[in-house]
Amino acid sequence: MTRRFGRILHPVNARLDEHLPTDHKLSTVYRVGAGLMGLLLVVFGILGLVNRIGFFDTGGDTVLALNTNGALSVLSICIGALLFTGMVVGGTFASTLNIVLGLAFIASGFVNLALLDSDFNFLAFRIPNVLFSFVVGVMLMWFGMYGRVGSALPHDNPYWRARHPEQAAREQRARRAVLPEHPRAS
């Protein structure tokens, strides 16, 4: 019974936090994605603060064609700084951070869409903000999932090897049998 429950929780025999070699080329994609999205959010937040908009003002002040207030500006800077941290750390951390924040942006878009014409719209969202939230969320998820999920991952991909350990071991044994051993230097 415990094995069956474990299989439901981990159906592909791999966890989302599998280790990626630090020098793997996928880490560059995760870093670039986190850095670009973080830069965009920090610039938006700083421009919102420079305009001295009230913290919870919902009067319709815009920055870069998006409605904003002080709270949204500070929140944007904080999330941008978190994405910069992901860019610096790189690897699986950046990928997972991109995925989680991408999901959070999409959820935020739906929540704020529901709050548009209510008294609970503290972040001064309008339709362009909702669309921006969806686009940033999808982009972050794309950057985070790149090379991690898919039906056609190459067999040298570390995530594919983690999900198919038996086949990866067979392929590695076959490569060793074909390639001659290199003599060791004394």
Side-chain angles (χ1 to χ4, degrees):
M1 185 70 167
T2 305
R3 181 180 163 113
R4 185 176 295 163
F5 184 69
R7 199 60 161 150
I8 291 170
L9 291 177
H10 301 287
V12 292
N13 195 26
R15 295 186 352 229
L16 193 58
D17 62 349
E18 291 291 334
H19 296 286
L20 180 70
T22 55
D23 61 342
H24 200 277
K25 61 187 174 187
L26 288 175
S27 185
T28 304
V29 174
Y30 307 144
R31 286 176 185 253
V32 167
L36 287 175
M37 295 294 115
L39 178 65
L40 179 65
L41 291 171
V42 167
V43 166
F44 173 74
I46 289 173
L47 290 175
L49 289 178
V50 168
N51 285 341
R52 298 181 187 260
I53 301 168
F55 201 72
F56 288 114
D57 183 25
T58 58
D61 296 306
T62 60
V63 171
L64 300 175
L66 297 172
N67 213 42
T68 190
N69 62 16
L72 184 59
S73 296
V74 169
L75 183 62
S76 297
I77 291 171
C78 292
I79 293 174
L82 186 60
L83 284 166
F84 281 141
T85 302
M87 179 185 71
V88 170
V89 173
T92 305
F93 176 77
S95 173
T96 304
L97 181 67
N98 286 344
I99 293 169
V100 168
L101 288 179
L103 288 170
F105 267 90
I106 291 172
S108 168
F110 281 116
V111 167
N112 285 297
L113 182 63
L115 298 175
L116 279 181
D117 291 328
S118 75
D119 293 335
F120 299 108
N121 188 5
F122 297 116
L123 296 178
F125 263 58
R126 299 286 183 253
I127 289 294
N129 296 73
V130 171
L131 296 175
F132 177 79
S133 188
F134 289 150
V135 169
V136 169
V138 168
M139 291 299 296
L140 281 171
M141 287 180 57
W142 182 82
F143 279 122
M145 291 182 182
Y146 184 82
R148 270 185 103 156
V149 295
S151 61
L153 292 176
H155 290 206
D156 65 341
N157 182 298
Y159 298 109
W160 183 89
R161 288 194 310 259
R163 292 182 189 116
H164 304 91
E166 297 87 15
Q167 188 173 350
R170 281 194 305 270
E171 289 179 6
Q172 187 174 11
R173 283 193 302 271
R175 277 193 301 272
R176 284 185 186 149
V178 172
L179 297 175
E181 289 285 326
H182 291 91
R184 292 187 179 181
S186 303

